[in-house]
Amino acid sequence: MTDNMVSRNATYSIGDLAREFDLTTRTIRFYEDVGLLQPVRQGTGGRVRVYSPRDRARLKLILRAKRLGFSLSEARQIIEMYDSPRDTETQMRAYLEALATHRQRLEMQLAELQANLMEVESHEEQARQAWRQMQAGAQEQE
């Protein structure tokens, strides 16, 4: 389902959203438990969750933030920017700052991973040399 197909009056069950976004219903309930989604409760005892287009859009933003590596609290801040009154310059500035901070964190992690890879490669080469020496010694004994 594309965003263009979503009508303002559309509603979704937890199963609908789970299928559309390839999530478990438990994951969607977790996002509800932490306050990121707020479905209307219907039925006996409020056991049936009914999600609005707003909930669907929020879920899409949560998943986008997660895919980019943001924490849930960072995702919440981004989502709240979209929910706040439309001061787009302030929102865009805050979003750009969040992206810049996240980029710096990822670049630091990447540098650490590259250093780790170099160390692993060094140990691999040392192990290969030791293995070759072991093989050469074994052949001499034959």
Side-chain angles (χ1 to χ4, degrees):
M1 179 177 309
T2 65
D3 289 329
N4 295 337
M5 295 170 55
V6 176
S7 83
R8 291 181 186 264
N9 297 327
T11 59
Y12 309 93
S13 70
I14 194 169
D16 293 338
L17 293 178
R19 279 186 297 280
E20 179 179 352
F21 293 105
D22 194 26
L23 299 171
T24 64
T25 56
R26 183 176 183 168
T27 299
I28 294 173
R29 286 191 302 271
F30 171 76
Y31 293 144
E32 180 184 344
D33 290 343
V34 298
L36 292 170
L37 299 175
Q38 299 157 346
V40 173
R41 298 296 193 122
Q42 294 180 346
T44 306
R47 294 178 53 94
V48 177
R49 293 169 170 87
V50 179
Y51 294 88
S52 67
R54 178 181 178 272
D55 290 311
R56 182 183 174 276
R58 287 175 69 94
L59 182 56
K60 198 170 181 179
L61 287 171
I62 293 165
L63 297 175
R64 182 177 299 151
K66 183 179 171 189
R67 188 176 61 248
L68 291 173
F70 286 102
S71 69
L72 280 182
S73 63
E74 291 167 325
R76 179 187 310 279
Q77 291 172 343
I78 292 168
I79 291 167
E80 287 172 355
M81 280 192 294
Y82 282 94
D83 283 347
S84 68
R86 292 288 177 196
D87 184 355
T88 55
E89 184 178 343
T90 302
Q91 289 173 340
M92 191 55 65
R93 197 171 331 120
Y95 185 53
L96 285 169
E97 287 174 16
L99 287 172
T101 300
H102 189 61
R103 174 189 283 276
Q104 287 176 332
R105 189 176 336 127
L106 288 174
E107 287 172 347
M108 287 174 39
Q109 290 173 350
L110 179 59
E112 289 173 9
L113 285 172
Q114 288 172 331
N116 286 344
L117 279 172
M118 288 174 52
E119 187 174 347
V120 166
E121 288 170 359
S122 172
H123 287 286
E124 265 183 324
E125 185 55 35
Q126 290 172 7
R128 280 191 190 99
Q129 287 176 1
W131 184 63
R132 282 188 219 114
Q133 289 174 351
M134 290 170 64
Q135 284 184 322
Q139 287 177 353
E140 288 177 7
Q141 291 179 359
E142 289 178 3

